[in-house]
Amino acid sequence: LLMMTSALQCGLDRLRDESFLALRGSRIGVCCNRSAIDGHGTHLEDLFQEAAIDVVRWFEPEHGIEATAQDMETVVSNRPEVISLYGDDEASLRPDPNALEDLDLLLFDIQDIGCRYYTFAATLRYILEVAALTGTRVMVLDRPNPIGGVAVEGGTIHPGFESFVGASPISIRHGLTMGEIAQLLVGPLGIAADLTVIPCQGWSRQMLQQDGSLPWVAPSPNMPTPDTALIYPGLCLVEGTDLSEGRGTRRPFHRVGAPWLDADRLAHAIEVRSRQMELQGVSFSPVHFVPKFQKFSSQQCHGIELEVIDPSAVDALLLGVIVLEQMRAQDPERFRWRTETYEFIDDPIAIDLLWGGSDLRLGLEEGLSPRDLIEAREGERRQFLDLRQQILLY
């Protein structure tokens, strides 16, 4: 195992080892953030400077190049050669064709976390769509999926529910790398862009982040650890409610709660329900926390804290739906779905955009069980498994 993992390389490592020959003589744009590092932890920008590779233009995704801006926070740069792909309206999510037309090549290198809601894959899609119009080549430097490439959870997107957290018809936990998502977009999904993917070397689908040798760099401010990434496909659904998903604490998505919840009751109820549903790989404990910003800022919240005890056994989506079900069950009158504008969209509401349809929200309100709600999307999940089989790189 040690021999295998020490040989693990991301796309950036492979390009570096070839002295960036594929880039020389081209007018280059780069879309990346602080997660664009090689196996030694050196950032792409520093590697380019050492190798005398000039970058004409930088494109920064949500959270910015430094990955410090909070979710849904406008990203603005004071550097003229940096273009934000997360401004103050929906149009800002796509690069202006003028910003691509004078480029020979746009390089994309961002660590994804294996979940459809995580917006970097949407940014990649929009770049490919514009590059197809301008004739700009796109090169994706691939990285491992930190939560593995085997487990696939959840359905896709129903018509009318497309958004920045659901730009492509893929499962919620998709089990793909960013390079494979790019292959899917230009292959079966038909975006006519000129794409090159530099694959990882030494990565296999069953590997999780802790099985490899690549350092972990938080690709956004609320994704501090690989364990956070593991539970995110389920716990991000709490974003679609008025309860705190732990933003503003040191343990986002591991802590969820609200001022009105009874922590002990909730932890017990979730534990009982999890046993009924045969949910494995996580443990729950009551917790009391005070978010420093966002929902319930400076107020004491009561809820649960989640620990991952067996990463290979985590069924994140089932976990998230059980948590929603039990938080709502404690006081259906005080539980609220989030109705404010979410990722520049007013209607459908956040929970429906995240899920890719209204069936989760309506089903929970009708008292349907978490497993039944997930099972209702099984046909879509199987269709997606067939679709992705065409483009797998590993």
Side-chain angles (χ1 to χ4, degrees):
L1 182 66
L2 284 174
M3 284 175 63
M4 179 184 74
T5 55
S6 63
L8 180 58
Q9 287 193 309
C10 61
L12 180 58
D13 287 310
R14 300 186 68 191
L15 212 57
R16 178 207 63 212
D17 287 353
E18 294 166 3
S19 305
F20 299 107
L21 285 175
L23 307 183
R24 297 193 184 276
S26 297
R27 285 180 60 82
I28 298 166
V30 176
C31 181
C32 73
N33 67 9
R34 67 191 291 266
S35 68
I37 58 168
D38 69 5
H40 306 297
T42 307
H43 192 265
L44 176 150
E45 188 169 7
D46 297 321
L47 292 171
F48 277 17
Q49 283 177 351
E50 287 170 23
I53 301 288
D54 291 327
V55 175
V56 174
R57 199 165 294 123
W58 298 86
F59 297 85
E60 55 183 345
E62 185 178 13
H63 311 294
I65 285 179
E66 293 302 320
T68 52
Q70 290 296 324
D71 64 310
M72 294 187 276
E73 189 177 299
T74 299
V75 174
V76 183
S77 175
N78 52 14
R79 291 165 59 185
E81 75 280 15
V82 177
I83 291 178
S84 169
L85 296 181
Y86 197 84
D88 52 14
D89 61 17
E90 199 171 0
S92 70
L93 303 177
R94 295 170 184 272
D96 186 315
N98 294 326
L100 265 61
E101 268 173 348
D102 63 340
L103 300 176
D104 300 316
L105 177 68
L106 199 157
L107 202 69
F108 186 99
D109 188 1
I110 301 177
Q111 177 66 62
D112 189 42
I113 62 151
C115 179
R116 185 181 73 214
Y117 326 130
Y118 210 55
T119 60
F120 300 138
T123 296
L124 175 59
R125 181 188 181 114
Y126 301 156
I127 284 171
L128 286 167
E129 286 175 342
V130 175
L133 299 175
T134 60
T136 309
R137 290 185 296 127
V138 176
M139 179 182 286
V140 175
L141 303 185
D142 211 6
R143 293 185 172 275
N145 183 327
I147 65 173
V150 177
V152 172
E153 300 169 17
T156 59
I157 307 279
H158 288 181
F161 293 88
E162 299 87 358
S163 72
F164 197 44
V165 291
S168 301
I170 59 179
S171 284
I172 290 171
R173 179 177 179 176
H174 50 66
L176 298 175
T177 66
M178 201 68 99
E180 288 174 329
I181 288 174
Q183 300 260 92
L184 187 72
L185 290 166
V186 301
L189 298 182
I191 298 172
D194 183 350
L195 171 71
T196 303
V197 175
I198 309 296
C200 304
Q201 200 162 35
W203 187 73
S204 57
R205 307 205 77 81
Q206 69 272 20
M207 288 172 70
L208 304 178
Q209 178 68 25
Q210 60 267 37
D211 301 324
S213 56
L214 295 176
W216 176 258
V217 171
S220 63
N222 289 289
M223 198 53 58
T225 71
D227 277 358
T228 317
L230 261 175
I231 62 172
Y232 181 84
L235 272 295
C236 182
L237 293 170
V238 179
E239 253 182 47
T241 73
D242 71 349
L243 296 109
S244 169
E245 62 276 7
R247 292 182 190 271
T249 77
R250 286 179 289 110
R251 302 212 70 202
F253 302 106
H254 288 263
R255 291 177 178 174
V256 294
W260 52 266
L261 282 165
D262 181 321
D264 292 311
R265 248 179 78 202
L266 182 65
H268 177 70
I270 289 175
E271 200 158 310
V272 168
R273 192 60 159 150
S274 297
R275 278 201 300 271
Q276 289 173 348
M277 300 269 144
E278 299 179 341
L279 178 72
Q280 298 175 327
V282 286
S283 66
F284 313 94
S285 55
V287 72
H288 311 278
F289 60 92
V290 180
K292 288 189 164 57
F293 54 82
Q294 291 207 357
K295 295 174 182 173
F296 305 119
S297 176
S298 304
Q299 297 179 54
Q300 186 164 59
C301 292
H302 315 285
I304 55 158
E305 183 150 7
L306 296 150
E307 295 292 345
V308 174
I309 51 178
D310 181 357
S312 63
V314 173
D315 184 335
L317 200 58
L318 179 60
L319 166 65
V321 178
I322 287 172
V323 168
L324 282 188
E325 176 199 47
Q326 293 305 312
M327 290 195 300
R328 184 180 178 278
Q330 193 170 114
D331 193 336
E333 295 303 308
R334 294 175 88 167
F335 178 93
R336 292 273 187 282
W337 300 112
R338 178 183 188 151
T339 54
E340 305 95 318
T341 302
Y342 186 70
E343 297 295 4
F344 309 111
I345 292 178
D346 296 314
D347 183 32
I349 61 171
I351 190 67
D352 296 355
L353 294 175
L354 288 164
W355 188 254
S358 59
D359 46 309
L360 173 69
R361 172 175 56 85
L362 297 174
L364 285 172
E365 288 172 355
E366 289 167 20
L368 298 181
S369 90
R371 276 215 183 270
D372 287 346
L373 289 165
I374 291 169
E375 185 62 34
R377 295 290 198 112
E378 179 60 16
E380 291 169 32
R381 190 186 78 90
R382 289 186 179 280
Q383 282 181 324
F384 171 65
L385 283 172
D386 290 342
L387 185 70
R388 76 177 210 142
Q389 200 59 39
Q390 303 170 40
I391 52 81
L392 296 181
L393 294 169
Y394 311 96

